[in-house]
Amino acid sequence: MTEFIQVVIAGLLQGSVYALVALGFSLVYRVTGVINLSQGAFCVVAALVMYWLEHALGWALLPAGLAAVIATAAFAAVLGALTFVPAFGRLPNSGILMLTIGLLTLIEGVLLIGWGSQPYALPPFSGETPFEVAGLRIPSQGVWIVGAALLVVLALWYLLIRTALGLALRACAENVVAARLMGIGVGRVTLFAFVLAAAIAAVGGVVLAPITSLQFDAGRLFTISGFIAVAIGGLTSMTGAVAGGLLLGIIGQLGAVYVSSLFSDALSLLVLLAVLVFRPNGLFASDRGRADVREAARVVQGTSRLGGRAGWALGAVAAAILLALPLAVPQGGRFSSIVITGIVFIAVLGLDVLMGFAGQVSLGQAGFMAIGGYTAAVLATTYAVPPLLATLSGVVLAVLCALVLSVVTTRLRGLYLALGTLAFGLLVDSLAVGLVDVTGGPSGLVGIPSFAVGGFDFATPLSNYYLVAGLIVVLVVLLAGLMRGGFGRALQAIRTDALAAEALGINVVRYKVAAVAISAALAALSGSLYAFYFHFLSPEMVGTSRSLEMVAMLVVGGEATLVGPLIGVALLTLLPTLFQPLAIYKTFATGLLLVVFFLYMPEGIFGAAVAAVQRIGRLFAPPRLASPAGGVAE
Amino acid sequence: MSGRAPAAPADAGGPPALRIAHLDKRFGGVQATSDVSFEVASGSLTALIGPNGAGKTTLFNLITNLFPPSGGEIVYFGRPLAGLRPSEIAALGLVRTFQTARVFPRMTVLENVLVGAHRHVRAPAALQALWWPSALREDRTLTRRADALLALAGLATYRDIAATALPMGAQKMVEVIRALMAGPRLLLLDEPAAGLNDRETADLAVLLRAIGDNGTTIMVVEHNMALVMGVADHVVVLDAGRVIATGTPAEVQADPRVIEAYLGQEAAA
């Protein structure tokens, strides 16, 4: 019994920090209708700044912690004013969500450049000796953590209920348009919520640093845990955020002690999926959440596609380049990255169908890569199944998993869909780590054979190149046919207005499921090819970072354009290998690229190029846009 | 302005296009419609009028089952609609438009109209993916029909631009064309003239008559009285969730209850 209580106490300590991050989520969500996924990174910013003040400048712990929180808030203010606030009125909520993924990556990049990749730990604020109460040992830092959490909750409560600023925050949460009409500077209030949330996260980071060592990319763990906590509790409920955080902390610790530390994540994720299925608004939410009146006005408006002849011409040029490329690039590391570009592009093609055409946000695409990759690799390696058959088995299994997942995801929209798919990806991730006997665990699966068809082994990079290039050509042609026809039109109709689509006879659920299945199949194919090409597969190659990276590739290239994302994949895969000595800047550059694209070129490189070509074409064609009813409407 | 050729009685002996019996809908404590009963004769153009909040759009939402009725029955050409998904109802040829134009963003005008043809796409997805000749042929046929309809509505020049770039009036027209593309047996139009200028409204009246003469049954919610009285051959008046009058435009206009509920209210305003 004592041990049990001890574990629960540890869970409460961990949970207090989750609760703080979750509070920040809830605060920003209530004011803006968006989850700021960069939230967790501010924990790490504060902790590392505090470490620097303490170690390099020799400050005492408490002033260093205080200064770190202030510095983090200032950093957040600059970041928010330059990115988060301008995004409103420009991007749809799903776009802003993706923007905050970019911010998360950007902050991680900054930390990597400043502090390197090693973990840091601080000494406890008031000594190492734990308190002993009735035979229970409570780490002294625990008092600081719980105290800080209580203080933040009380201060936040006072601010929201008793001050004019709190009133403005709550007004924006209720109705942004009305708040603006009442003279509230919505931009400033949004920024304030963003900074306040970051400061709360910073407090969490500072008090947690002594009992957990943190490195540059620990932020996403806080983001994910805080996100799960707030989803369990209910996005609109502050009480829910705190309760969800504590619950998550306890589940995590109990799972780690009584089940297995390898599966403790899986346990929390199952709880989350159960909540999403049975109480999608969370356990504590009182209402249905915010109504998003602004959503419709902020969809990307253009239609970026090439007409028949231009499309075929571009296709022919691209095919010729594909065929000739191996002649131009010497065999070696760089050529190998080109092959990897192609393999990843296959998965991104699937993501384009799902996200670009059908408008279903997915943050767990790499989960299907993992299912396909591990199934194929294990079958081929352990059971000597021919690679082709092993790959097909992986694809079939991934599609089956996709169908099961659809039961959850087809009921979810927007943010909840993003959350559900993220949870799925993390679940697969933690299974890949946990099932050591099957997958080889964290260190990966080795000795995977080459891909082979009949008697032919695809053993060299060159043969793999032509295999992948051939597959890509076939897949692009098939998908182009599908997307130009009735199937693709139905998907695009669902993307923005499922109700109107349904009223025209489109079975929305069936088309969503079809899109999920196609994307899962392509991701699984990509995952198997990846494993066969590397002769090795580890969870981190097909983990959540990969999922987020693929979303970035899709957006940078251009959603709903099929070939556009190839540009994004190539950029994010090849650039780091071209500038090896600058590898430390890769994370930063990826984040910066994402943020800039979401803000200034949401239609992607390919989309922008097509728009430019169309604009030039219009210069030479008679004007067609002279509207009969007085100009072109907004 | 004269009505259409002598008001078609419930002719042809077949079942009415729509028979609504004792329809009730409560939202919590609010009674949105109560005991609504009327028929829409096959081949007729029926107008549904009534002051704001009378429950007209609610009625459309009940007919297309966007939410289920609390009680009563909706029968479409002799077939009860209870329990069908909205998409299944549309697949039976009962197609509606929405009060605010809902064109699909990031799709061209032509593509928007082609979405309407969804229930006529026969080529399975696999054949579409393979660029199979029969699938391409079908697509060309549908495109020709869409082009013809766009030309009819005077929108042919805009076929390849983003539908959201059009003025609101033209967007509403695209939505009507899109619904027509579905080849409906019964077309429900929710305030098609709202936001249209006089010329566009006149164009719409011409279009509605052409659709009706083609044999399509139409039911239209409309506030524009000139349009209603000009094109409808049957009028149902709704007030506070109840049917207060039915009849020809002339009969309804003379009905004192209608004047009190509808025109009287306008005069008082």
Side-chain angles (χ1 to χ4, degrees), chain A residues 410-495:
Chain A
T410 49
R411 302 176 187 203
L412 305 176
R413 287 191 302 141
L415 199 54
Y416 291 98
L417 180 62
L419 182 57
T421 54
L422 181 69
F424 165 76
L426 290 166
L427 187 62
V428 175
D429 216 358
S430 65
L431 288 180
V433 173
L435 294 168
V436 180
D437 295 337
V438 183
T439 63
S443 50
L445 192 65
V446 290
I448 303 170
S450 298
F451 191 72
V453 179
F456 186 80
D457 254 7
F458 290 87
T460 62
L462 190 66
S463 59
N464 271 284
Y465 172 83
Y466 281 114
L467 170 72
V468 171
L471 272 175
I472 287 176
V473 169
V474 170
L475 286 171
V476 167
V477 169
L478 289 180
L479 288 176
L482 203 54
M483 292 307 137
R484 69 178 289 288
F487 186 90
R489 286 194 297 267
L491 283 190
Q492 293 179 75
I494 291 169
R495 172 172 60 197

Side-chain angles (χ1 to χ4, degrees), chain A residues 488-521:
Chain A
R489 286 194 297 267
L491 283 190
Q492 293 179 75
I494 291 169
R495 172 172 60 197
T496 44
D497 197 339
L499 202 63
E502 186 90 30
L504 290 167
I506 296 170
N507 186 330
V508 171
V509 172
R510 189 187 304 164
Y511 276 90
K512 279 186 183 174
V513 171
V516 173
I518 291 174
S519 72

Side-chain angles (χ1 to χ4, degrees), chain A residues 97 108 114 271:
Chain A
L97 184 76
E108 286 179 0
V271 171

Side-chain angles (χ1 to χ4, degrees), chain A residues 300-301 305 477 497 628 632, chain B residues 87 102 106 111 131 158 164-165:
Chain A
V300 176
Q301 299 288 354
R305 67 202 61 158
V477 169
D497 197 339
V632 170
Chain B
S87 61
R102 291 174 89 153
R106 297 178 65 187
E111 287 165 347
W131 301 71
Y158 308 115
T164 45

Side-chain angles (χ1 to χ4, degrees), chain A residues 15-58:
Chain A
S16 299
V17 177
Y18 296 157
L20 285 179
V21 180
L23 264 182
F25 275 134
S26 184
L27 184 68
V28 173
Y29 177 76
R30 295 206 347 148
V31 176
T32 62
V34 178
I35 280 285
N36 170 22
L37 289 176
S38 67
Q39 195 83 324
F42 292 114
C43 293
V44 185
V45 172
L48 295 191
V49 168
M50 182 179 170
Y51 179 87
W52 176 70
L53 290 174
E54 202 246 358
H55 263 69
L57 305 187

Side-chain angles (χ1 to χ4, degrees), chain B residues 33 42 53 56 59 61 74 88 115 137 141 171 224 257 262:
Chain B
T33 66
S42 173
K56 303 181 297 286
L59 197 57
N61 290 343
I74 301 165
E88 289 168 334
V115 173
R137 216 176 307 125
T141 311
Q171 288 191 30
N224 186 321
R257 280 170 303 178
Y262 199 96

